[in-house]
Amino acid sequence: MNKTRLSQNLSFRIASQSGKAYLRRVLPYRAYSGECEGIVVTFIDVTQLRESQELFQLLVDASAQIVWVTDASGIVTEDSPSWRAFTGQTYEEWIGDGWQAAIHPHDLPGLLEHWQAAVSTGEQMHHEYRLRHHQGGYRWTQVRAVAQRCVDGSVHRWVGMNIDIDDRKRAEKELEKAKIRLDLSFEASEMAPWSWDIPTGEVVSNENLNRLFGFAPTQSITTKEFFERIDEADRERVLASVERSVEGGDVFEEEYAVNRVDGQRRWMRARGQTQKNSEGEVEGFFGVVSDITERREREQDLVDREAHLRRVINNQLGLVGVIDCNGNLVEVDDRSLEIARTTRKEVIGKHFADAPWWSYDPNVARQMREAMQRAFDGEVVRFDVSLFAHGDEGVMIDFMIAPIMNSAGEVEYLIPSGVDIRDRYRAEQRLVENERRVSMALQAGEMAAWEWTPEKSFWEPKLFELLGLSPDSTPSPELFFSVVHPEDLPLLQQHWLEAIEGTRDYEIQFRIVRPNGLVRWISAVGIITRDDDGKVTAIHGLNWDITDQKEYEIRLEASEERLRLALSAAELSLWQWDVDTDLWFWFDDRFEDDELATSVPLGSLADFLERIHADDRAEVEASIRSALENSEPFRSEYRVYSDGEFRWVLSLAHLSLEDEMSPLQMVGVEVDITERKNSELILKLNEERLRLAGEASGFGSFHLDVLKRETHWSSEVRRILGYGDTEILSDSFDDVPQFIHPEDREAYAAAIHQALTDSRHPRGDLEHRVIRPDGDVRYVRTNWLSMWNESVDGPKVEQVIGTMLDITRQRDNERKLELARQQAEVANESKSAFVANMSHEIRTPMTSILGYAELIQSRITDPEAREYLQTIRRNGDYLLEIINDILDLSKIEAGKLKSIQRNSIPPGSWKTCGASWKCVLRRKI
């Protein structure tokens, strides 16, 4: 063996056939002179250490797509196969600063800033950026870098890993788009969510809610301000309903009027329910409110029209009614009911020819049927007929039945009327009187009278109030003109000038602007008084507020325009099926002006079904048959062949009955819903892709809607937590979920508090334990992102989006690795203690031997004996050297050995070796 190699300490790692790993160390054996006389070989079992290292490497490979290492200054000095496999870079392109070329140019400056800050401070780095993929394009990754430190605390090197989060980033973007669409839906539908924190009394406001109640978009609404906007007539009722919901848990549902600060009065419909904690105490009250002003106005208009129609009908002198397209009576005056001593229940909904006014005589009833048929053909029929009167021989009336057409030119209603010929004059006089009373009532209702003469003007106090002026003002045309809207002033002045000159009557509508800025519509009419020469001497007039009428007319025009555009855009197709003859007719609704729609015979029911997609045909036919058998409306969605392709349509139809049991015809409409079907399919596919992405990556997602105080969990989160899709995970929005481990609940609550209050750190993560319903404890990593919105009171959190990942296996491996490390340290400490103790036990008797050998040498004069003693002394010293080397080994492992320079072979080592062999040979001899 080479002496140079013998003078060095050598270490090798070897594996035995049993699979264990050993560290073999070869040390030189030196004599007292320092010369190497042999070697000492030791074996140390490092099997557990090797397994721990392999386990650590496996954990690293399993937890990240990319793992890399840099030196203490952040420069790449080692290869990272996983990085190069992901990016496609070569080793030369990757090493040093070459890795920067794979970073997206927009993300590189921010990444370098975070990386340099981490290298400077030694703190961990977390960052997200886009990394070029070897297949092309960039993918979002999340990087985490940790410093590996030396014993003295200085940074030895940096170890980092990248995780591919591109799917998560795309999902977050889609979620953000979905939120925007939801907000736009609320705004477009005149709806707004609301929530009320019962303990604090605070109303969580939003822009849509503020807009509906007339508040500023970012204004925070108090409970008091909220209820003050409700009209006094409805306020007590609404408060009582709220109290019942809070105390009894009933669903809150009310309609009420809201008075805005701009003078508008809007009708709202609110629906909500309470939120209780685990103790059953009410913590919140949330729901949705919608603006139903237009609906209420339409309903009120319908009520007014119906009441007006009934008043008109009841004030007619004779029979007046309304007949639907089936010949059934739907309305009749009260006087005609009194004449025949019958009730509305007995005649309404029955065929008009079967009513008691005509059924007393079959010939009269037949004559009435014939007249109705002529009227349905579009003719106005008029004749004299005897009307049955109870207790009388009958009353001869002038009877007329007239058709009412719809916009398509089809007869929609018949209006029968009859007048007692004997009382015609008296009826005309009464009608004139009624018209005069109506005229007086219209003029007297909420009107302001005034008088003008060339000398002065006189206004009633009501006119000052109408114009918003002080009653102390001096009335004059100039004062009146001062409040007229600038756009209407020229026309009004022209009318007034022509009126006082006597060239035209005074009647006009215009706008005024009150001193408080409120704009109102005014109607004015004046009666001109002239002298004998025809000169105007005075004008007496009335003014009244017609703002509501004007706004209604504007809304009505807009509504009619929207309805016209909707019908035109919908491209409705009408059809009719005569059940008895099995004839199917098709109506072309695309006509212009007042041109009547034309019907096109399509054939029979079988011909109609033939144009339907084969997969939908059986279901459509079954629905039609069911509608016939059960006398119920028909509704179905199916595909029809049109213009060379199949398109989806929604078909609705109702039955026309000859009597209560026999259907005669079915009339329906088809609406093209192809685009809606395609949108539903795209939405379904997007949701399925998002769900599959979450399941494939093992990540579950959750969504905290702070505005609605609701929490939504994905199916993957429920799988991690061991819950089904319909099970409730949390009893209350504000409580820590019951599945959080008791020892981690405080940390979880602190993390959620940070997400809901700390706008400077919208992102966060937490590793904690959860308890599944079966008692299994799992470790999870929760990451979240808070979405904030600026308001007058500062930033407010609206949504929290998060993910959850099961890391139980990772945590178990970490615990096993830590246990193996602790066991290795204990074994090493025991070995060191043994070596130190053994060295001490040998050194103590050896020192005595060497001391006594030196004392004996001073008493012996025989040269040979002295040489033997000298040999004992030299070998003892060398043995002490070995003991010191053993102690040095312990110091090396403890990190306390100081460097000592010495000769590789001590002087006199060969001489000592020869003397030792000489003694051995003599003993053998």
Side-chain angles (χ1 to χ4, degrees), residues 842-865:
I842 296 175
R843 180 191 289 269
T844 301
M846 182 56 63
T847 303
S848 299
I849 292 173
L850 295 177
Y852 279 110
E854 186 174 354
L855 291 175
I856 294 174
Q857 187 177 13
S858 63
R859 294 176 178 273
I860 297 177
T861 58
D862 182 44
E864 186 177 357

Side-chain angles (χ1 to χ4, degrees), residues 779-796:
Y779 277 90
V780 297
R781 180 185 295 114
T782 301
N783 297 77
W784 68 84
L785 171 63
S786 302
M787 298 183 179
W788 296 80
N789 186 25
E790 292 296 333
S791 65
V792 176
D793 299 331
K796 290 185 177 295

Side-chain angles (χ1 to χ4, degrees), residues 119-312:
V119 172
S120 300
T121 60
E123 297 180 352
Q124 293 187 12
M125 186 193 77
H126 300 271
H127 196 64
E128 294 179 357
Y129 60 87
R130 286 166 287 183
L131 185 62
R132 188 175 65 236
H133 196 263
H134 67 89
Q135 293 182 349
Y138 290 86
R139 294 187 65 83
W140 278 99
T141 64
Q142 182 186 66
V143 63
R144 174 176 295 180
V146 181
Q148 181 182 10
R149 300 182 182 275
C150 300
V151 177
D152 59 359
S154 61
V155 176
H156 173 59
R157 61 179 180 176
W158 288 86
V159 179
M161 64 177 67
N162 287 52
I163 299 176
D164 189 330
I165 60 170
D166 193 73
D167 292 339
R168 191 198 77 191
K169 295 291 285 190
R170 296 180 186 274
E172 291 174 354
K173 187 175 182 179
E174 289 298 324
L175 185 61
E176 182 179 358
K177 292 181 180 178
K179 179 184 179 299
I180 294 175
R181 289 195 295 269
L182 179 61
D183 292 340
L184 291 175
S185 299
F186 272 127
E187 183 176 355
S189 59
E190 292 292 326
M191 297 178 64
W194 55 267
S195 60
W196 177 18
D197 192 330
I198 299 297
T200 63
E202 294 182 357
V203 175
V204 180
S205 60
N206 55 76
E207 291 188 8
N208 289 331
L209 181 64
N210 290 5
R211 176 174 53 80
L212 292 181
F213 280 79
F215 294 99
T218 58
Q219 181 179 352
S220 296
I221 311 173
T222 64
T223 307
K224 181 179 179 181
E225 293 172 337
F226 178 83
F227 284 109
E228 284 179 348
R229 289 291 169 92
I230 300 178
D231 192 86
E232 291 185 4
D234 303 327
R235 193 176 301 158
E236 292 299 327
R237 170 174 54 82
V238 173
L239 287 172
S241 180
V242 170
E243 291 178 358
R244 289 195 301 272
S245 299
V246 173
E247 294 174 1
D250 300 332
V251 174
F252 169 77
E253 187 169 8
E254 289 291 341
E255 293 184 2
Y256 51 85
V258 170
N259 298 319
R260 297 180 178 175
V261 294
D262 59 1
Q264 290 192 51
R265 177 184 173 88
R266 309 293 293 178
W267 278 93
M268 304 293 170
R269 181 179 184 274
R271 179 180 175 85
Q273 63 184 32
T274 57
Q275 180 184 24
K276 298 182 179 181
N277 57 21
S278 57
E279 287 76 23
E281 299 174 346
V282 176
E283 292 185 342
F285 198 41
F286 59 92
V288 175
V289 62
S290 58
D291 190 327
I292 59 170
T293 305
E294 292 186 2
R295 193 204 77 188
R296 288 294 295 254
E297 290 175 349
R298 290 194 300 269
E299 291 175 351
Q300 185 61 42
D301 182 66
L302 182 61
V303 172
D304 294 342
R305 289 175 182 270
E306 184 177 354
H308 179 68
L309 176 62
R310 183 169 297 281
R311 287 194 299 271
V312 171

Side-chain angles (χ1 to χ4, degrees), residues 501-753:
E501 290 178 350
T503 59
R504 70 177 299 167
D505 295 332
Y506 181 67
E507 185 173 358
I508 191 173
Q509 295 179 354
F510 53 88
R511 292 168 292 176
I512 64 169
V513 182
R514 291 178 178 173
N516 62 0
L518 187 63
V519 177
R520 307 293 294 178
W521 275 93
I522 302 296
S523 182
V525 63
I527 299 176
I528 300 175
T529 303
R530 307 173 188 266
D531 59 13
D532 295 339
D533 298 330
K535 183 180 180 180
V536 177
T537 59
I539 300 179
H540 299 83
L542 293 172
N543 286 359
W544 62 95
D545 192 323
I546 60 170
T547 304
D548 294 339
Q549 174 187 341
K550 279 290 185 180
E551 291 180 351
Y552 174 76
E553 291 174 356
I554 294 173
R555 288 193 299 270
L556 184 60
E557 291 177 0
S559 177
E560 291 175 350
E561 179 65 15
R562 288 194 298 269
L563 179 59
R564 184 187 66 78
L565 293 175
L567 292 176
S568 176
E571 296 184 356
L572 297 178
S573 299
L574 304 177
W575 54 264
Q576 175 182 326
W577 179 39
D578 190 323
V579 180
D580 295 334
T581 60
D582 191 20
L583 291 178
W584 201 285
F585 295 91
W586 197 260
F587 293 85
D588 184 4
D589 64 328
R590 294 183 291 274
F591 55 87
E592 299 179 355
D593 301 329
D594 294 330
E595 180 184 353
L596 296 179
T598 57
S599 62
V600 179
L602 185 64
S604 62
L605 173 62
D607 296 320
F608 169 76
L609 295 175
E610 188 64 26
R611 61 188 289 270
I612 298 176
H613 194 285
D615 295 342
D616 304 333
R617 196 172 297 154
E619 182 179 352
V620 173
E621 183 177 6
S623 298
I624 293 176
R625 300 296 184 188
S626 176
L628 287 174
E629 294 175 1
N630 301 316
S631 299
E632 60 187 14
F634 165 73
R635 177 188 175 93
S636 182
E637 295 181 2
Y638 50 84
R639 290 161 289 180
V640 298
Y641 191 77
S642 175
D643 297 332
E645 63 176 351
F646 280 99
R647 299 190 64 82
W648 279 97
V649 297
L650 169 64
S651 184
L652 304 172
H654 288 271
L655 297 173
S656 173
L657 304 179
E658 181 182 18
D659 52 42
E660 295 182 354
M661 299 300 294
S662 302
L664 292 177
Q665 62 182 6
M666 179 178 289
V667 180
V669 60
E670 281 188 356
V671 183
D672 192 320
I673 60 170
T674 304
E675 293 185 1
R676 192 201 78 188
K677 282 289 188 177
N678 293 337
S679 299
E680 291 175 352
L681 178 60
I682 293 173
L683 181 60
K684 184 176 181 180
L685 292 176
N686 289 337
E687 292 177 350
E688 183 65 15
R689 283 196 293 267
L690 181 60
R691 183 186 66 80
L692 293 176
E695 292 179 356
S697 61
F699 283 92
S701 62
F702 60 89
H703 171 208
L704 276 65
D705 191 329
V706 182
L707 299 179
K708 294 184 178 181
R709 317 292 291 175
E710 296 177 352
T711 304
H712 305 278
W713 309 89
S714 70
S715 57
E716 184 64 17
V717 170
R718 293 179 174 274
R719 185 193 63 78
I720 293 174
L721 300 177
Y723 285 85
D725 292 339
T726 59
E727 294 184 81
I728 298 177
L729 273 67
S730 179
D731 296 331
S732 172
F733 179 84
D734 297 313
D735 291 342
V736 176
Q738 65 270 19
F739 56 76
I740 301 298
H741 194 281
E743 297 178 2
D744 297 337
R745 297 178 71 87
E746 183 175 351
Y748 184 88
I752 293 299
H753 178 73

Side-chain angles (χ1 to χ4, degrees), residues 9-41:
N9 297 334
L10 304 178
S11 298
F12 304 92
R13 179 174 291 184
I14 62 175
S16 66
Q17 294 182 352
S18 62
K20 290 189 175 182
Y22 295 90
L23 180 64
R24 181 176 64 186
R25 290 181 177 174
V26 181
L27 305 175
Y29 177 79
R30 297 183 179 89
Y32 178 76
S33 61
E35 296 180 352
C36 182
E37 297 182 344
I39 60 173
V40 177
V41 181

